[in-house]
């Protein structure tokens, strides 16, 4: 089968890093260890595993970080080379049902055949699995980073039945690509730190920022959702999905101050004449601020900004994948801010869903309970919520463009400058599926 | 003998007209038949200004005794003075305020007055820096008072140093500086650059609190001040007069000293700015070309610095002292004597070039809100009788109008621009929905009191200054402005005068009449 394969190749990795830092994100694909190859289809001959045909797969920020060679080295021990990237997968089962499915890509104890599972998997929190390098398959935190399973940037891959969620008929193949990032967003929103009275800041209005915005409005409905969006079209989408206030990143600190009426601290006492350099006068931090800030970018700047706009004893939720960053943590210490991570998805506590009138997605819940280990009362799988949210908020429209697999270089370039080109999510589609898509 | 103001009718042989354009200039060919209003030439300065000041203090006007007779030992004397917003540009040393205050202090010293405090009458303006105070008062006064805490700046947000004197017949709160109100004598030292300055406004606004000022700084007052440069048709003036009379009735004894300036605004090397283009000599042409070329290749920050370092050769043309209203009547007559130009009829289009400076960006940045205020608040209102442009007409303003703000001086302006104008440009709606929040914002209050920031409400006032013009005009076009900031102001943008005129024709018809306000130097049109 044809697939994009990422190999351990340090010279090319180094070249990609240099190239991407000069040319920009997504521009170093041809120099990176990623290549289009004919490979043997993956095969996992273990109980519960099956092969599915890829219909579409989104290019995630983490995929871009991988080909840009800026991903964290933290992952080195929980990936297995060579791997086929791609974890925002929409596929069709070969088991005769022909069901279209999205894949919960975390390779936790259950797919790995580890029994008894670790204490996190035992309670449904697969994302926190501690056994990502053990069991019957190669190490890999997710499909898309594991040699055994294959990945979404291919024609087919192996998945465990517990990872599959049926796609309702009213969600198209490409639209379904947004379900996985929506699940990540929901998981971040339902950490339990956000109340109906909260003012929540969302940093970034790309895929994650927009999905987080929709999730906030739909599942919590907090007092104020403030989104920083770099581009006008992003601002429009954020408003449409439920943001109360949208501002440019450069005016974020001021905007948050206006919402909270606190003080801004910074170079405001100077008597220098003509302070008109771009950054002068941008307050450094606020005395008050947002109750919760959800950082969808994960950069040094975004984390610093998050700290400067979070109130004392507030919370920063990091949902965008960071890498090595350089940040002054003094505000975190001084203002007793909690910095928490939010990775992937798993199981959500319905009591944390605060939006009035929210109805849990009953039917998909039932489908899932057949494969879940131990569903608990008032708990729901994140993917079930995500499918429901994608339908309700029409998040499928965030998938802006798709490319045939063999045109992956263009696709990655597009993904790297997606926002500049008024796009959000870019997807890759195997040629077979692409033809089908065009026929439809 | 200085020549009066002049109204030129543009002919095909007329040279191009100079437009100010922020920290630069434009030469524009106005359509044949356009009118260009040139300000009167500078009146002759007083030959002995100090002598004139002494004489004014000795021979006050109205129901007032000579200053010497009002001073006595053990009294509490307060001398308030206009702040950095006057004159424009800052004048060459010695500043008029220095000369007047030195004379007042000399008499006070002779009379054994020890308790003397100076107050910069800031109203809701930013505090002055020490450098600015020293320039304004001179080193002798500054060094005698400042180290002892006797040189103060009015704080409109200091509840301990404000006193409420009552309500006017219209229910307006009159709350002013406590030290000033409780002094045995308040001497106010004024510089009258335009007809709106001075009179009761000096104390009733300059030393007042937001609670008091908001009664006349609002859209309703501004729309009903036609114009606010014409005291007989200005609701702003009427409100200040009601307040001033209440202040007097409350027992606050004010000894007003008002001065007027001639229109000698720019130093000799910028002489071309004060001349009519057809009278430019070789040195004027070279001066213009040199300045234009140089500015064209100079970073804006540097150009701004150069312009703000210009000190004006303004000279005093009159000084009067005594009872407020009597003094101000003389002052107003002297202002008009210098600035008046009679104009017959309105035009469809009024054009103007705005310079780098207005009262609220001395040593600072002329942000887009101040551009609007200077053009539509000040220049548009430089009339008596009727506006220079007809109802439903168009104003074309030449200015770069960059999205730039001085973060120290204008913090609330940035938020006003980002938040308020993004929502609405209607002064009434702005006033109802946003003013109170900005006016009471603790951060702005803190910066106004402790830093060098204009009060949080100040950008609202700047926008209210525009209310009459916005109400009167059908469109405002910014020539050579930055598109995104012009759009935020709710105006149209044009890159050339021809484009601007084309846009204007859409509103005023295909053969519009046009008047160009060739200012500064300042002029006041008496439109019949």
């Amino acid at each position: 089968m044809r697939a994009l394969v990422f190999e351990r190749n340090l010279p090319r990795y180094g070249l990609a890093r240099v190239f991407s830092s000069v040319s920009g994100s997504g521009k170093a694909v041809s120099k990176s260890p990623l290549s289009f190859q004919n490979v043997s289809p993956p095969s996992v001959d273990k109980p519960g595993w099956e092969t599915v045909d890829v219909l579409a797969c989104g290019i995630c920020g983490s995929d871009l970080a991988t080909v840009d060679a800026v991903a964290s080295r933290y992952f080195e021990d929980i990936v297995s080379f060579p791997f086929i990237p791609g974890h925002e997968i929409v596929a069709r089962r070969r088991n005769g049902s022909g069901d279209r499915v999205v894949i919960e890509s975390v390779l936790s104890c259950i797919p790995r055949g580890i029994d008894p599972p670790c204490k996190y998997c035992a309670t449904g929190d697969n994302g926190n699995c501690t056994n990502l390098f053990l069991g019957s398959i190669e190490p890999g935190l997710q499909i898309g980073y594991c040699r055994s399973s294959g990945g979404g940037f291919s024609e087919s891959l192996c998945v465990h039945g517990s990872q599959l969620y049926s796609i309702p008929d009213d969600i198209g193949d490409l639209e379904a690509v947004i379900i996985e990032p929506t699940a990540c967003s929901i998981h971040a929103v339902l950490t339990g730190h956000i109340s109906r009275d909260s003012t929540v800041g969302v940093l970034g209005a790309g895929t994650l920022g927009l999905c987080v915005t929709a999730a906030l409005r739909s599942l919590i409905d907090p007092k104020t959702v403030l989104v920083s969006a770099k581009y006008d079209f992003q601002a429009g989408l954020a408003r449409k999905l439920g943001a109360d206030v949208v501002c440019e990143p450069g005016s974020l600190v001021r905007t948050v101050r206006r919402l909270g009426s606190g003080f801004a601290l910074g170079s405001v006492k100077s008597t220098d004449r003509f302070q008109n350099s771009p950054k002068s006068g941008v307050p450094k931090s606020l005395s008050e601020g947002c109750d919760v800030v959800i950082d969808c970018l994960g950069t040094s700047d975004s984390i610093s900004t998050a700290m400067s706009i979070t109130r004392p004893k507030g919370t920063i939720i990091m949902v965008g994948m960071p890498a090595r960053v350089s940040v002054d943590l003094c505000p975190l210490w001084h203002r007793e801010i909690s910095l928490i991570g939010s990775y992937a998805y798993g199981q959500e506590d319905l009591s944390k869903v605060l939006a009035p009138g929210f109805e849990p997605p009953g039917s998909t819940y039932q489908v899932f309970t057949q494969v879940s280990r131990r569903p608990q009362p008032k708990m729901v799988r994140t993917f079930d919520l995500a499918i429901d949210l994608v339908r309700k908020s029409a998040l499928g429209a965030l998938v802006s463009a798709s490319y045939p697999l063999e045109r992956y270089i263009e696709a990655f370039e597009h993904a790297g400058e997606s926002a500049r080109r008024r796009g959000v999510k870019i997807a890759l589609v195997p040629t077979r599926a692409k033809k089908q898509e065009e026929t439809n | 003998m200085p020549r009066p103001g002049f109204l030129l009718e543009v002919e095909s042989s007329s040279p191009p007209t100079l437009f100010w354009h922020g920290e630069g200039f434009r030469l524009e060919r106005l359509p044949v038949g356009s009118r260009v209003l040139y300000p009167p030439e500078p009146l002759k300065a007083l030959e002995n200004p100090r002598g004139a000041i002494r004489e004014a203090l000795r021979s006050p006007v109205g129901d007032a005794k000579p200053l010497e007779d009002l001073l006595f030992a053990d009294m509490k004397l307060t001398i308030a003075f206009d702040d950095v917003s006057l004159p424009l540009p800052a004048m060459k040393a010695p500043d008029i305020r220095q000369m007047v205050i030195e004379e007042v202090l000399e008499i006070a010293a002779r009379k054994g007055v020890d308790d003397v405090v100076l107050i910069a009458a800031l109203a809701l303006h930013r505090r002055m820096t020490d450098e600015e105070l020293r320039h304004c008062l001179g080193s002798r006064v500054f060094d005698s008072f400042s180290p002892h805490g006797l040189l103060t700046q009015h704080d409109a947000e200091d509840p301990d140093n404000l006193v409420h004197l009552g309500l006017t017949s219209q229910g307006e709160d009159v709350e002013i500086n406590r030290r000033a109100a409780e002094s045995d004598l308040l001497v106010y030292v004024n510089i009258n650059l335009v007809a709106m300055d001075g009179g009761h406004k000096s104390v009733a606004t300059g030393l007042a609190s937001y609670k008091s000022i908001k009664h006349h700084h609002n859209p309703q007052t501004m729309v009903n001040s036609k114009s606010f440069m014409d005291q007989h048709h200005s609701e702003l003036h009427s409100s200040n007069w009601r307040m001033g009379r209440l202040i007097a009735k409350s027992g606050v004894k004010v000894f007003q000293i008002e001065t007027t300036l001639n229109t000698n605004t720019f130093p000799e090397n910028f002489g071309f700015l004060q001349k009519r283009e057809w009278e430019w000599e070789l040195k004027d042409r070279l001066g213009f070309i040199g300045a234009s070329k140089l500015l064209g290749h100079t970073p804006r920050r540097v150009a701004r610095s150069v312009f703000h370092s210009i000190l004006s050769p303004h000279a005093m043309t009159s000084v009067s002292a005594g009872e407020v209203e009597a003094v101000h009547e003389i002052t107003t007559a002297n202002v008009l004597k210098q600035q008046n130009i009679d104009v017959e009829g309105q035009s469809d289009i009024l054009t103007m070039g705005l310079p780098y400076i207005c009262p609220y960006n001395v040593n600072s940045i002329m942000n887009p809100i101040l551009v609007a205020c200077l053009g539509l608040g000040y220049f548009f209102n430089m009339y008596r009788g009727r506006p220079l442009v007809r109802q439903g007409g168009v104003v074309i303003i030449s200015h770069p109008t960059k999205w730039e703000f001085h973060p120290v001086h204008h913090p609330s302006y940035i938020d006003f621009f980002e938040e308020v104008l993004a929502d609405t440009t209607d002064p009434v709606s702005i006033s109802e929905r946003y003013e109170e929040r900005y006016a009471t914002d603790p951060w702005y209050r803190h910066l106004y009191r402790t830093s060098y920031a204009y009060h949080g409400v100040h950008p609202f006032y700047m926008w209210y200054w525009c209310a009459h013009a916005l109400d009167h005009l059908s469109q405002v076009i910014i020539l050579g402005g930055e598109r995104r900031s012009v759009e935020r102001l709710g105006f149209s943008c044009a890159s050339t005068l021809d484009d601007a005129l084309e846009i204007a024709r859409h509103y005023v018809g295909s053969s519009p009449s046009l008047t160009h306000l060739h200012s500064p130097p300042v002029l006041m049109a008496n439109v019949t």
Side-chain angles (χ1 to χ4, degrees):
Chain A
M1 71 168 189
R2 293 179 302 176
L4 301 183
V5 180
F6 194 90
E7 295 168 306
R8 188 191 284 275
N9 183 330
L10 280 177
R12 287 186 74 85
Y13 194 78
L15 191 62
R17 183 164 198 144
V18 172
F19 221 79
S20 67
S21 67
V22 174
S23 312
S25 180
K27 297 276 175 57
V29 186
S30 60
K31 311 288 184 293
S32 77
L34 184 74
S35 57
F36 187 61
Q37 298 180 14
N38 270 313
V39 295
S40 302
S43 172
V44 181
D45 188 17
K46 301 289 176 192
W49 282 83
E50 59 182 277
T51 300
V52 294
D53 292 319
V54 177
L55 295 172
C57 183
I59 299 175
C60 175
S62 60
D63 297 322
L64 273 171
T66 302
V67 297
D68 289 343
V70 294
S72 170
R73 295 188 65 183
Y74 164 84
F75 295 116
E76 281 180 2
D77 293 331
I78 46 175
V79 299
S80 49
F81 291 94
F83 60 80
I84 298 171
H87 55 274
E88 297 176 353
I89 306 165
V90 180
R92 189 183 296 281
R93 297 180 81 169
R94 286 184 183 174
N95 64 355
S97 70
D99 280 351
R100 294 181 309 136
V101 289
V102 282
I103 296 165
E104 187 184 287
S105 58
V106 175
L107 291 169
S108 58
C109 289
I110 301 154
R112 290 177 179 280
I114 297 170
D115 197 9
C118 72
K119 64 179 181 181
Y120 301 101
C121 288
T123 56
D125 291 329
N126 325 29
N128 302 122
C129 177
T130 55
N131 292 330
L132 298 170
F133 46 91
L134 301 176
S136 55
I137 56 172
E138 296 285 343
L141 68 162
Q142 292 186 350
I143 286 176
Y145 298 99
C146 172
R147 182 166 57 206
S148 306
S149 64
F153 298 152
S154 67
E155 292 176 333
S156 65
L157 72 153
C158 293
V159 295
H160 190 267
S162 66
Q163 298 177 285
L164 304 182
Y165 293 79
S166 291
I167 302 170
D169 291 342
D170 56 354
I171 300 180
D173 297 348
L174 272 178
E175 292 171 331
V177 164
I178 210 70
I179 291 172
E180 198 272 355
T182 302
C184 294
S185 307
I186 288 171
H187 190 60
V189 165
L190 295 182
T191 49
H193 292 84
I194 308 170
S195 73
R196 296 283 322 278
D197 292 332
S198 295
T199 293
V200 185
V202 180
L203 303 187
T207 305
L208 278 178
L210 293 170
C211 291
V212 160
T213 303
L216 280 167
R217 188 52 71 209
S218 175
L219 302 176
I220 306 285
D221 196 24
K223 186 178 77 181
T224 308
V225 176
L226 161 71
V227 178
S228 76
K230 196 170 178 184
Y231 299 96
D232 283 350
F233 85 97
Q234 292 178 324
L237 287 170
R239 284 195 192 93
K240 199 172 159 190
L241 293 171
D244 301 293
V245 182
V246 184
C247 66
E248 292 176 7
S251 62
L252 177 65
V253 181
R254 284 188 170 277
T255 306
V256 173
R257 197 206 69 79
R258 288 198 296 263
L259 289 174
S261 270
F263 282 51
L265 313 173
S267 56
V268 291
K269 277 195 111 176
S270 167
T271 57
D272 289 354
R273 294 163 125 202
F274 315 123
Q275 290 191 14
N276 56 352
S277 61
K279 286 205 168 181
S280 70
V282 176
K284 287 179 186 162
S285 62
L286 301 175
S287 60
E288 271 295 329
C290 296
D291 301 299
V292 178
V293 174
I294 302 180
D295 180 0
C296 301
L297 301 169
T299 63
S300 300
D301 277 351
S302 69
I303 297 168
S304 296
T305 302
M307 284 190 287
S308 67
I309 62 167
T310 305
R311 68 165 169 79
K313 295 193 184 294
T315 303
I316 300 169
I317 302 171
M318 292 199 57
V319 60
M321 187 185 84
R324 184 182 291 270
V325 294
S326 174
V327 178
D328 179 358
L329 287 175
C330 202
L332 187 92
W333 167 76
H334 179 237
R335 292 152 71 85
E336 298 188 336
I337 293 169
S338 301
L339 176 63
I340 65 169
S342 173
Y343 165 67
Y345 22 71
Q347 189 158 259
E348 308 301 338
D349 183 347
L350 274 176
S351 67
K352 291 176 184 167
V353 177
L354 306 175
F358 175 80
E359 293 286 336
S363 58
T364 47
Y365 182 79
Q366 290 305 316
V367 170
F368 184 75
T369 55
Q370 291 167 16
V371 290
S372 175
R373 294 295 80 108
R374 287 191 295 169
Q376 299 171 19
K378 292 194 173 179
M379 302 300 276
V380 63
R381 297 302 300 175
T382 322
F383 260 69
D384 289 334
L385 286 173
I387 291 168
D388 190 49
L389 182 59
V390 168
R391 293 173 83 179
K392 283 180 182 163
S393 300
L395 294 179
L398 298 182
V399 183
S400 312
S402 67
Y403 288 79
L405 198 55
E406 57 269 31
R407 287 172 60 189
Y408 70 102
I409 292 179
E410 288 169 74
F412 271 89
E413 283 181 1
H414 193 166
E417 54 184 16
S418 170
R420 275 200 297 278
R421 293 167 64 173
R422 296 180 61 84
V424 183
K425 173 61 69 183
I426 308 301
L428 281 166
V429 179
T431 309
R432 165 186 40 77
K434 185 79 183 167
K435 280 182 183 161
Q436 184 64 41
E437 180 197 320
E438 284 162 9
T439 308
N440 291 340
Chain B
M1 177 77 178
R3 293 181 299 178
F6 182 72
L7 185 61
L8 169 80
E9 185 167 326
V10 175
E11 297 171 356
S12 54
S13 58
S14 302
T17 306
L18 179 82
F19 279 53
W20 272 96
H21 191 71
E23 293 92 11
F25 318 102
R26 296 173 75 109
L27 274 182
E28 298 288 354
R29 284 207 173 271
L30 293 167
V32 171
S34 300
R35 304 185 304 181
V36 183
L37 263 64
Y38 289 93
E41 289 185 343
L43 292 176
K44 197 172 168 224
L46 293 173
E47 276 179 15
N48 178 6
R50 286 189 185 270
I53 293 165
R54 281 193 289 270
E55 179 55 29
L57 302 181
R58 261 197 307 266
S59 315
V61 297
D63 182 18
K65 292 178 182 168
L67 179 64
E68 194 159 356
D69 296 350
L70 298 171
L71 303 179
F72 54 91
D74 300 329
M75 76 177 296
K76 196 188 263 191
L77 172 65
T78 297
I79 304 170
F81 55 95
D82 282 345
D83 73 354
V84 75
S85 58
L86 287 163
L88 297 177
M91 66 188 296
K92 275 182 184 166
D95 188 284
I96 285 180
R97 286 161 291 203
Q98 174 189 338
M99 291 193 283
V100 173
I101 289 171
E102 282 177 352
E103 294 301 329
V104 172
L105 289 174
E106 209 164 306
I107 299 170
R110 255 194 338 257
K111 298 289 287 191
V113 182
D114 288 330
D115 185 356
V116 183
V117 168
L118 303 186
I119 305 177
L122 302 183
L124 304 177
H125 299 174
R126 71 168 173 87
R127 296 190 314 132
M128 295 168 71
T129 63
D130 282 357
E131 191 188 345
E132 290 164 343
L133 284 165
R134 187 182 287 278
H135 179 80
C136 166
L137 301 172
S139 289
R140 199 170 128 215
V141 173
F142 182 87
D143 290 337
S144 302
F145 283 80
S146 181
H148 308 291
L150 301 174
L151 171 53
T152 65
Q153 308 205 48
H154 172 63
D155 182 349
E157 290 289 348
D158 179 5
D160 296 337
N161 200 22
L162 289 168
V163 57
H164 194 272
L165 299 177
L167 299 174
T168 68
S169 58
Q170 303 290 312
E172 298 148 317
D173 294 272
V174 179
E175 186 174 59
I176 66 165
N177 186 289
R178 180 180 292 278
R179 163 76 202 196
E182 294 177 353
S183 291
D184 296 299
L185 184 67
L186 169 61
V187 173
Y188 195 99
V189 181
N190 146 285
I191 296 179
N192 245 83
L193 187 66
V194 292
M196 176 185 67
D197 301 333
H200 284 304
K201 184 168 172 286
S202 296
V203 173
T205 296
L207 294 176
S209 67
Y210 166 65
K211 187 178 179 180
S212 203
I213 292 172
K214 71 178 181 183
H215 288 290
H216 43 70
H217 278 55
N218 55 56
Q220 293 75 23
T221 302
M222 295 306 171
V223 166
N224 290 316
S225 297
K226 297 177 177 176
S227 76
F228 54 68
M229 295 293 177
D230 179 357
Q231 54 189 253
H232 302 298
H233 298 93
S234 167
E235 183 49 37
L236 175 68
H237 175 91
S238 303
S239 178
N240 271 292
W241 251 241
R242 286 191 294 272
M243 290 181 172
R245 285 171 183 170
L246 190 140
I247 289 167
K249 204 172 155 191
S250 306
V252 180
K253 195 178 278 184
V254 180
F255 188 85
Q256 184 89 354
I257 306 169
E258 295 193 351
T259 59
T260 55
L261 300 170
N262 64 12
T263 51
N264 192 13
T265 310
F266 299 101
E268 204 167 324
N269 45 347
F270 286 98
F272 62 92
L273 293 170
Q274 298 189 177
K275 286 190 173 177
R276 299 158 190 184
E277 288 82 353
W278 67 91
E279 293 176 345
W280 281 9
E281 296 166 7
L282 182 62
K283 68 173 183 179
D284 298 314
R285 290 171 198 277
L286 291 175
F288 170 77
I289 292 167
S292 299
K293 293 278 181 202
L294 201 63
L295 290 166
H297 294 88
T298 306
R300 201 161 49 252
R301 182 188 171 95
V302 177
R304 193 173 280 147
S305 201
V306 169
F307 271 110
H308 280 269
S309 65
I310 291 175
L311 292 176
S312 166
H314 279 313
M316 193 161 77
T317 56
S318 76
V319 53
S320 314
E323 186 271 321
V324 178
E325 294 183 23
V327 167
H328 194 62
E329 202 175 324
I330 297 169
T331 305
T332 307
N334 284 322
V335 167
L336 292 176
K337 191 171 153 194
Q338 170 64 92
Q339 298 176 2
N340 185 68
I341 170 168
D342 291 329
V343 179
E344 205 173 302
Q346 297 175 300
S347 59
D348 299 312
I349 299 171
L350 175 66
T351 59
M352 54 180 75
L354 300 190
Y356 61 96
I357 197 169
C358 80
Y360 315 107
N361 77 310
V362 175
N363 296 324
S364 188
I365 293 170
M366 180 105 130
N367 63 55
I369 299 162
L370 293 177
V371 170
C373 175
L374 182 62
L376 302 181
Y378 278 80
F379 281 24
F380 174 87
N381 278 285
M382 294 303 289
Y383 75 86
R384 286 184 298 156
R386 300 186 292 166
L388 280 161
V389 57
R390 70 164 168 85
Q391 178 87 35
V394 170
V395 163
I396 298 174
I397 295 169
S398 166
H399 193 276
T401 321
K402 298 287 181 190
W403 190 307
E404 285 182 336
F405 293 83
H406 194 296
V408 176
H409 294 163
H410 302 121
S412 68
Y413 279 66
I414 304 174
D415 288 328
F416 181 87
F417 202 62
E418 281 180 3
E419 182 187 30
V420 179
L421 289 185
D423 181 27
T424 175
T425 55
D426 173 38
V428 175
S429 179
I430 284 172
S431 156
E432 288 169 356
R433 292 164 56 198
Y434 291 101
E435 181 183 314
E436 191 180 348
R437 173 155 66 86
Y438 275 68
T440 57
D441 186 307
W443 185 50
Y444 301 145
R445 187 183 284 156
H446 172 76
L447 296 177
Y448 162 77
R449 298 191 65 188
T450 65
S451 178
Y452 295 90
Y454 281 82
H455 192 276
V457 81
H458 205 260
F460 289 77
Y461 291 172
M462 297 302 95
W463 199 251
Y464 301 160
W465 284 134
C466 307
H468 169 29
L470 292 173
D471 188 50
H472 183 83
L473 300 168
S474 61
Q475 184 58 286
V476 179
I477 301 165
I478 307 281
L479 172 60
E482 185 178 306
R483 187 164 299 278
R484 64 185 190 127
S485 47
V486 170
E487 283 173 355
R488 177 58 58 89
L489 293 170
F491 305 154
S492 292
C493 201
S495 49
T496 67
L497 182 61
D498 283 345
D499 288 348
L501 293 173
E502 194 57 41
I503 297 169
R505 284 189 191 100
H506 178 71
Y507 297 94
V508 295
S510 56
S511 305
S513 55
L514 186 151
T515 300
H516 177 67
L517 193 64
H518 201 287
S519 184
V522 177
L523 64 81
M524 179 81 168
N526 182 29
V527 186
T528 52

